[in-house]
Amino acid sequence: MCGIVGYIGARNTLSVLIKGLECLEYRGYDSAGVSFIQNGKLNVIKKKGKVKELYKLMDDSGYDLSEKGKNSISAGIGHTRWATHGAPSDENSHPHMSMNGKICVVHNGIIENYAELRSFLRKKGYEFASDTDTEVAAQLIEYYYTKKEHDFEGSIRRALQDIVGSYALCVLCVDYPDRIICAKKDNPIVIGIGDKENFIASDIPALIEYTRDVVFMEDNCILIMTKDSITIKDVHGEVLDYEVAHVDWDTDAAQKGGYAHFMMKEMFEEPKVFEATVAPRIKDGDIFLEHFPCTKEFVSNINSINIVACGTAYHAGCIGKYLIEKLCRIPVTCTVASEFIYSDPIIDEHTLTVVISQSGETLDTRNAMREAKNRGSQTLAIVNVIGSTIARESDYVLYTAAGPEISVASTKAYTTQLGCVYLLALKFAKVLGKITPEKYADYQYELLEMPSKLQKILDVQDRIQRFASAEYNAESIFFIGRGLDYYLSMEASLKLKEISYIHSEAYAGGELKHGTIALIEDGTLVVSPITQDELAGKMESNIKEVSTRGATVLAIIPERFAEREFSCNEKFIIPDCDELFAPILTALPCQLFAYYMAVNKGCDIDKPRNLAKSVTVE
Ligand code: AGP
């Protein structure tokens, strides 16, 4: 949901800003822009479209964007936008300059009372050049700066008293060329600390090339950054202490590394990141969940589990619900986070709320977690981004080790989220005495075997590619499954629609005949994961029902079903495993299928239309 960068130091500021925006483009790509102070003048350059359009505009205008370029800029900020208020256009692009050219602002978030503030400012003589809520912030800060406070920091603090909403704001003032001031509420800001240089970004990949020492800014704080200093204050101006964290990601973790798309690279990383998530937590025949007390006393005190998440993370939660109920016999609800807070949920201090999020910043998920906490629930976050808001605000954290996931379509994060929910379900079952020592050992072995089985799928991925090349003109695709295969189908369907724009639905195999089968006609494509022993016979009937009505069927099945008769046109065989663990493997061919369908259709794989990676609006 919009990416922000800022830089002060000796490097070529424009190069740092543009490269940072490229790294953050997954957060929004409707427009991009930069603002900087050079020779005492505040400049803005912005353009509708992706960062490469901005790059071209600046290059054509004679700006030196090379790393080695000379730097005569004292401070610079940049922005890549995911439009909320105002259509994507040059005018609505950030940065926004105040009417008298004193202040420039980039913003991630939503100013909810912008209409009211705009009419207040209009009465004071301010004219507006865009339809955005952000421009109001620039004008309001300038209003307080020129009319009342005459002090950069004080005018921001005063403006924040009027602003209702969420924001990561980065502000430049022409009279203070040596600094950037930021304010944060409900949207991420990471500060990168360098030697006689400092950085700001919405996310770590934009900084990692320059520094690994970072500070995750807290809500309701103001940052005053110069090249030599970082000062963080609360809204009243009290100086606060901060902790510097060290990030140990590879520099190439956020690069495509020879793959055509981040999504492809990230799918190929699945064996490695699944292993990194699971293997270190399995030792001497037991599972260890660091920082999470899995004592008998703790687990016995839990009467119910409440899982909340959005999108792909929600689908990982659905698998978690199935597993925990099956293995531990604890009732579990899994709810879409945006619905959870309005559902008057039945939870109390005996409920454990498990929050799943790749980014750790999704606003709906954060709100759901806060609601659960308010009702007395303890919270465990399964999160990928270290130091993210959800990780910091939850009682306990279990990190997935997926590394940076850049493609908007989540792939490796989902697989590692599954890794964590399997570990959790198994550990709870062990602590509650619901699993025999033999089964517990077998299941740990299953998890440890997954990386090599995922690799086997990647080794034959060209079979999925061939199938997709033949079928990419499909207008509507149904994923059908039963039990775990149904939950997996939900994720497979989401992946396909978000990157290929093909209409798709996931249906429980047995439910299709209660209405939706009316949509099946000659040539309709049906993809059916069939991995559950007891349900395979029933699924065979379900795919027969659709194939008799003209559907083309791809069945995804384990090796042990290879010789079995299914009414399908094509089979994709995955390695055998205990049926409980099949979703971890089945996800990958479904992700590859979505990928190749989208590639064949010429879609923008890593930046699908209308989407952004981290959704920090409700
Ligand atoms: C996944 O492919 C999606 N782009 C999306 O559904 C995502 O999983 C969802 O927005 C939740 O994000 P989070 O995991 O960062 O909270």
Side-chain angles (χ1 to χ4, degrees):
M1 284 295 99
C2 303
I4 286 178
V5 286
Y7 177 69
I8 306 185
R11 293 174 202 267
N12 179 7
T13 303
L14 295 180
S15 161
V16 175
L17 296 180
I18 292 286
K19 281 171 87 178
L21 291 180
E22 280 165 354
C23 292
L24 296 177
E25 212 174 17
Y26 68 88
R27 302 178 65 87
Y29 28 87
D30 291 330
S31 63
V34 292
S35 173
F36 51 90
I37 302 176
Q38 193 173 31
N39 306 325
K41 200 173 157 278
L42 194 50
N43 303 276
V44 175
I45 308 167
K46 53 190 189 175
K47 182 96 189 103
K48 179 183 166 188
K50 296 194 172 132
V51 177
K52 62 175 189 239
E53 307 292 337
L54 175 71
Y55 184 99
K56 188 171 179 310
L57 172 69
M58 293 178 74
D59 198 32
D60 291 349
S61 313
Y63 287 99
D64 183 352
L65 303 173
S66 68
E67 251 173 74
K68 299 241 154 61
K70 255 183 75 208
N71 193 31
S72 54
I73 290 172
S74 57
I77 55 177
H79 187 271
T80 175
R81 179 171 186 244
W82 187 79
T84 57
H85 294 58
S89 68
D90 290 350
E91 298 72 38
N92 290 335
S93 309
H94 298 215
H96 289 285
M97 174 108 78
S98 59
M99 192 175 78
N100 300 306
K102 293 263 174 216
I103 299 288
C104 224
V105 165
V106 291
H107 169 221
N108 173 23
I110 290 183
I111 298 174
E112 288 164 15
N113 60 339
Y114 79 102
E116 190 186 306
L117 292 173
R118 188 194 288 245
S119 85
F120 165 79
L121 287 161
R122 277 210 172 109
K123 283 184 201 137
K124 301 288 179 194
Y126 276 87
E127 282 166 22
F128 287 80
S130 79
D131 307 319
T132 64
D133 52 336
T134 303
E135 192 185 0
V136 165
Q139 310 281 34
L140 192 64
I141 295 168
E142 183 184 270
Y143 168 73
Y144 283 122
Y145 181 66
T146 49
K147 298 278 184 309
K148 311 256 174 192
E149 303 284 334
H150 309 294
D151 159 56
F152 183 22
E153 188 190 324
S155 59
I156 293 180
R157 192 170 294 117
R158 178 63 193 84
L160 292 178
Q161 288 175 19
D162 295 350
I163 290 174
V164 177
S166 63
Y167 44 80
L169 273 175
C170 284
V171 193
L172 291 178
C173 174
V174 70
D175 300 329
Y176 292 78
D178 67 333
R179 67 196 53 202
I180 300 172
I181 300 189
C182 297
K184 173 192 180 321
K185 182 169 173 275
D186 292 336
N187 285 276
I189 294 186
V190 188
I191 306 158
I193 301 182
D195 180 18
K196 296 196 178 57
E197 60 177 351
N198 287 309
F199 305 80
I200 295 158
S202 300
D203 198 0
I204 296 166
L207 312 169
I208 197 130
E209 186 180 337
Y210 314 108
T211 178
R212 269 123 201 291
D213 293 327
V214 300
V215 177
F216 298 101
M217 220 175 134
E218 299 281 347
D219 272 354
N220 301 311
C221 287
I222 291 174
L223 161 75
I224 300 103
M225 184 174 101
T226 68
K227 74 177 173 40
D228 301 305
S229 67
I230 297 287
T231 311
I232 300 182
K233 297 183 179 179
D234 69 11
V235 281
H236 309 294
E238 284 296 312
V239 176
L240 302 171
D241 289 338
Y242 56 82
E243 237 176 73
V244 179
H246 189 76
V247 181
D248 57 5
W249 290 352
D250 289 350
T251 21
D252 62 2
Q255 312 291 326
K256 267 192 233 159
Y259 288 91
H261 303 101
F262 278 109
M263 184 178 173
M264 193 50 146
K265 176 187 178 235
E266 289 162 5
M267 290 187 290
F268 269 81
E269 285 172 350
E270 285 184 37
K272 183 180 85 187
V273 295
F274 188 86
E275 179 157 16
T277 301
V278 165
R281 291 171 170 141
I282 299 182
K283 267 181 236 129
D284 304 326
D286 203 355
I287 291 171
F288 297 89
L289 305 176
E290 72 287 354
H291 316 307
F292 182 53
C294 270
T295 58
K296 179 132 190 151
E297 194 193 352
F298 181 89
V299 182
S300 310
N301 200 30
I302 295 168
N303 293 342
S304 64
I305 293 179
N306 161 45
I307 303 178
V308 282
C310 301
T312 290
Y314 165 72
H315 296 148
C318 292
I319 305 266
K321 170 188 157 62
Y322 183 99
L323 289 174
I324 297 169
E325 289 190 334
K326 180 137 190 114
L327 293 174
C328 313
R329 308 311 294 161
I330 302 174
V332 185
T333 52
C334 182
T335 317
V336 167
S338 55
E339 286 298 313
F340 175 80
I341 49 174
Y342 307 108
S343 65
D344 198 6
I346 307 170
I347 47 179
D348 58 22
E349 67 277 17
H350 298 294
T351 311
L352 174 69
T353 294
V354 179
V355 176
I356 308 178
S357 174
Q358 186 284 128
S359 62
E361 300 293 345
T362 304
L363 190 58
D364 288 326
T365 310
R366 287 177 59 193
N367 288 343
M369 182 173 81
R370 286 175 183 171
E371 178 66 21
K373 274 192 152 191
N374 287 342
R375 290 174 183 246
S377 172
Q378 303 215 54
T379 52
L380 165 68
I382 296 176
V383 172
N384 193 41
V385 178
I386 296 166
S388 57
T389 310
I390 290 175
R392 280 182 284 137
E393 289 183 359
S394 65
D395 297 315
Y396 310 106
V397 190
L398 210 48
Y399 282 111
T400 50
E405 190 180 63
I406 309 292
S407 175
V408 166
S410 187
T411 52
K412 61 175 179 170
Y414 174 73
T415 310
T416 56
Q417 285 160 356
L418 291 185
C420 284
V421 298
Y422 277 82
L423 288 170
L424 190 68
L426 288 179
K427 182 70 182 181
F428 272 31
K430 149 89 178 344
V431 172
L432 292 171
K434 304 267 185 195
I435 189 169
T436 63
E438 295 72 34
K439 267 273 168 253
Y440 189 52
D442 287 354
Y443 284 170
Q444 289 173 53
Y445 181 73
E446 286 286 351
L447 284 176
L448 294 171
E449 285 290 285
M450 285 296 147
S452 63
K453 293 180 181 177
L454 286 165
Q455 188 55 52
K456 280 188 182 152
I457 294 173
L458 290 169
D459 292 344
V460 293
Q461 51 100 22
D462 55 310
R463 296 190 47 206
I464 293 281
Q465 182 179 14
R466 276 202 299 278
F467 183 76
S469 302
E471 299 295 337
Y472 71 92
N473 282 322
E475 286 177 1
S476 191
I477 302 182
F478 290 83
F479 288 83
I480 60 171
R482 287 176 181 249
L484 281 170
D485 291 330
Y486 169 52
Y487 295 132
L488 189 275
S489 295
M490 289 160 64
E491 173 54 13
S493 173
L494 173 66
K495 205 81 331 170
L496 180 81
K497 47 192 157 205
E498 77 178 316
I499 58 165
S500 73
Y501 319 140
I502 298 172
H503 167 257
S504 163
E505 289 188 45
Y507 252 80
E511 183 64 12
L512 208 63
K513 61 185 175 296
H514 296 290
T516 308
I517 200 164
L519 296 175
I520 305 289
E521 55 187 2
D522 244 0
T524 307
L525 189 53
V526 173
V527 178
S528 182
I530 309 174
T531 65
Q532 306 295 297
D533 294 274
E534 255 186 53
L535 301 172
K538 298 232 183 300
M539 279 311 302
E540 161 54 9
S541 309
N542 294 141
I543 58 175
K544 198 173 230 107
E545 284 157 15
V546 293
S547 58
T548 331
R549 286 161 178 86
T552 302
V553 180
L554 166 68
I556 302 175
I557 53 173
E559 269 160 20
R560 64 184 179 282
F561 293 169
E563 300 307 318
R564 214 172 149 145
E565 283 294 310
F566 287 109
S567 313
C568 61
N569 305 71
E570 185 86 21
K571 289 175 182 171
F572 183 81
I573 314 252
I574 58 170
D576 260 328
C577 65
D578 184 286
E579 59 176 4
L580 211 53
F581 293 76
I584 301 168
L585 298 179
T586 320
L588 186 48
C590 293
Q591 293 164 352
L592 288 161
F593 174 66
Y595 173 83
Y596 282 118
M597 292 296 272
V599 167
N600 278 301
K601 290 191 70 191
C603 299
D604 191 342
I605 304 291
D606 290 329
K607 300 186 191 87
R609 69 183 179 206
N610 305 339
L611 295 176
K613 182 80 180 155
S614 172
V615 185
T616 51
V617 293
E618 277 178 273

